Amino acid sequence: MLLKSQFLYGEDFELRKGTLVIEEGIIKGFTNEYNEREVFEFKGLVIPPLINAHTHIADNSIKDIGINKTLDELVKPPNGLKHRYLAECSDDILVEGMKLGLEDMREHGIKYFCDFRENGVRGINLLKTALKCYDYPKAIILGRPTKVDKDEIEEVLKNSNGLGLSGANEFEDDELKLIFRIFKRFKEKDDKKLFAIHAAEHKGAVEYSLNKYGMTEVERLVDLGIKPDFIVHGTHLTNNDLELLKENNIPVVACVRANLSFNVGMPKLNELNDNLLVGIGTDNFMANSPSIFKEMDFIYKLYHIEPKDILRMATINNAKILKLENVGLIDEGFKAVFTFIKPTNAILFSKNIIASVVTRCEKGDVVDFSFCINL
């Protein structure tokens, strides 16, 4: 097919007007040779697909339970307020909440998301049930076993894209090594399997690890020979943590709005961005909307990182971290998956189109064409 519009093209998000050739879902470049009747024309702006690299979508069924609660009171397994509330929800309510969460992401232009799916295989299957109603967004599901049990860990890995653990402090050394050993067996057969874990989310977690193990969470993971594909948060990384992440090529997915929602502080995002591959997510649905637009705007206003770098975090960086092949850019050889921005006040008369996308766009500025054009 042929798609005529203006695009944020390539790694530098160059604004280019033209007609894009798409063959079997892959971008082939621009052309000047076409019949107007064969062209799908969009008069707004086409940007790379937005990706949310960290969510807990089941929490959409228990919104705003955590007001003025500490993070441990709210989400620490197994008896955090979140877990007690979720245990009271029926499967039907959880699936309905997930469907509404998927709809929310779709309306915000999010094409892929990575969910840390609690409650073992049951939690994975609930999300798969909700996903049946949607072509997009597509999910990268990181499962979480309910206990450290070889058989259950294997079942979770068979039914998901990998593991998403709550944190190193929840496990003894031998438990972490067992989990990672099983994961590595699966990764040998499928190198796209992911192992991710929360780390340095709040000061209490860092202090607990130092008091019990004499090491930070990151130091302990590296010492145990455990190399995550990425860590989530990194709000309170030490200088040595940062060096270890850099040496071991471990990215960080930051969730800045969630950190401030839970009053745990702010990651040193400028420093992280200078040293590591950084992605972004929105974390718990009960505390935040899943909007990557809001996350990008928030990051710009707090850190004044270049808008181009922030947009990279939400697109190509997130795609690299999640091992999404040929996703995250509008460029030759990449999959023709896009986020479409309508010609609204958010971008009209813009003198810096990337900044306008990062700081002004909201879900009302998005239109979803995935249902009517063959991409």
Side-chain angles (χ1 to χ4, degrees):
M1 69 163 290
L2 301 175
L3 176 62
K4 184 178 182 180
S5 189
Q6 54 181 351
F7 305 85
L8 293 185
Y9 195 81
E11 290 227 20
D12 285 329
F13 304 123
E14 176 192 357
L15 183 62
R16 291 185 62 176
K17 296 180 180 179
T19 301
L20 208 60
V21 180
I22 299 165
E23 294 179 3
E24 298 181 347
I26 302 297
I27 298 167
K28 298 298 182 180
F30 289 94
T31 184
N32 293 317
E33 298 179 7
Y34 56 86
N35 185 319
E36 286 289 349
R37 289 176 296 181
E38 299 172 347
V39 175
F40 182 93
E41 184 172 5
F42 178 63
K43 295 187 181 299
L45 176 69
V46 183
I47 70 171
L50 296 180
I51 301 168
N52 190 333
H54 184 61
T55 64
H56 294 271
I57 194 171
D59 300 355
N60 200 45
S61 300
I62 51 168
K63 290 188 187 76
D64 298 318
I65 64 167
I67 300 302
N68 290 328
K69 301 290 184 183
T70 68
L71 189 64
D72 279 350
E73 287 176 321
L74 183 59
V75 301
K76 186 174 181 179
N79 297 312
L81 187 60
K82 156 183 164 167
H83 302 90
R84 300 203 303 272
Y85 268 85
L86 286 175
E88 296 173 1
C89 293
S90 68
D91 286 359
D92 287 344
I93 287 175
L94 291 173
V95 170
E96 183 63 23
M98 290 178 182
K99 287 180 180 178
L100 291 171
L102 291 167
E103 183 70 19
D104 201 2
M105 284 193 281
R106 187 185 67 80
E107 291 177 350
H108 278 97
I110 293 167
K111 298 299 182 181
Y112 300 87
F113 71 104
C114 179
D115 197 69
F116 274 39
R117 193 77 312 281
E118 299 102 336
N119 294 323
V121 175
R122 170 177 169 257
I124 293 167
N125 287 337
L126 290 175
L127 179 51
K128 287 182 177 179
T129 298
L131 285 164
K132 290 177 182 177
C133 300
Y134 294 89
D135 291 329
Y136 287 98
K138 294 187 181 298
I140 297 88
I141 303 174
L142 301 188
R144 184 180 302 173
T146 60
K147 58 185 180 295
V148 182
D149 174 83
K150 175 180 176 291
D151 291 339
E152 186 182 357
I153 296 166
E154 289 177 347
E155 282 302 304
V156 165
L157 282 163
K158 286 175 186 175
N159 288 278
S160 70
N161 302 105
L163 298 176
L165 302 185
S166 56
N169 290 339
E170 310 300 328
F171 305 95
E172 297 299 330
D173 287 355
D174 59 339
E175 293 176 323
L176 278 171
K177 286 193 283 189
L178 173 64
I179 293 169
F180 194 64
R181 188 161 61 246
I182 295 169
F183 166 77
K184 284 198 296 183
R185 269 201 295 112
F186 277 79
K187 192 180 180 72
E188 286 171 2
K189 298 175 183 177
D190 179 1
D191 64 2
K192 290 185 180 179
K193 290 282 185 187
L194 297 168
F195 182 95
I197 189 166
H198 297 75
E201 184 174 1
H202 62 109
K203 285 183 179 179
V206 178
E207 291 168 357
Y208 179 92
S209 185
L210 286 168
N211 290 334
K212 185 170 182 178
Y213 301 102
M215 293 176 280
T216 67
E217 296 156 283
V218 172
E219 289 169 343
R220 182 173 164 232
L221 289 168
V222 173
D223 185 66
L224 292 171
I226 294 170
K227 182 181 175 182
D229 290 286
F230 64 94
I231 66 165
V232 180
H233 293 299
T235 320
H236 294 282
L237 294 169
T238 66
N239 289 336
N240 191 50
D241 288 341
L242 185 60
E243 283 303 311
L244 288 172
L245 294 173
K246 188 175 180 179
E247 287 172 14
N248 288 278
N249 196 29
I250 299 172
V252 174
V253 172
C255 305
V256 180
R257 283 190 302 146
N259 294 154
L260 291 179
S261 294
F262 297 135
N263 196 29
V264 298
M266 291 168 52
K268 297 176 181 177
L269 203 57
N270 297 83
E271 188 175 357
L272 294 179
N273 188 48
D274 287 341
N275 290 277
L276 302 171
L277 181 63
V278 176
I280 55 176
T282 58
D283 206 4
N284 302 80
F285 270 66
M286 64 194 172
N288 281 325
S289 86
S291 171
I292 288 297
F293 287 127
K294 286 186 178 181
E295 199 72 25
M296 291 192 295
D297 181 37
F298 200 72
I299 287 170
Y300 177 74
K301 287 177 169 58
L302 279 178
Y303 296 95
H304 288 274
I305 294 171
E306 278 297 316
K308 188 180 292 186
D309 286 344
I310 298 172
L311 187 57
R312 282 198 188 104
M313 292 177 190
T315 55
I316 190 62
N317 287 11
N318 276 352
K320 288 178 179 177
I321 290 169
L322 300 178
K323 297 185 180 177
L324 297 171
E325 190 174 347
N326 297 327
V327 167
L329 285 180
I330 303 176
D331 209 339
E332 287 187 44
F334 278 74
K335 292 180 181 178
V337 183
F338 311 115
T339 295
F340 292 87
I341 309 296
K342 293 186 284 190
T344 61
N345 185 55
I347 61 170
L348 290 175
F349 308 114
S350 173
K351 301 300 184 286
N352 184 331
I353 194 66
I354 299 171
S356 294
V357 168
V358 166
T359 65
R360 293 180 180 271
C361 286
E362 299 179 5
K363 72 177 182 180
D365 301 308
V366 171
V367 61
D368 181 21
F369 283 132
S370 60
F371 63 92
C372 67
I373 55 178
N374 182 24
L375 299 181

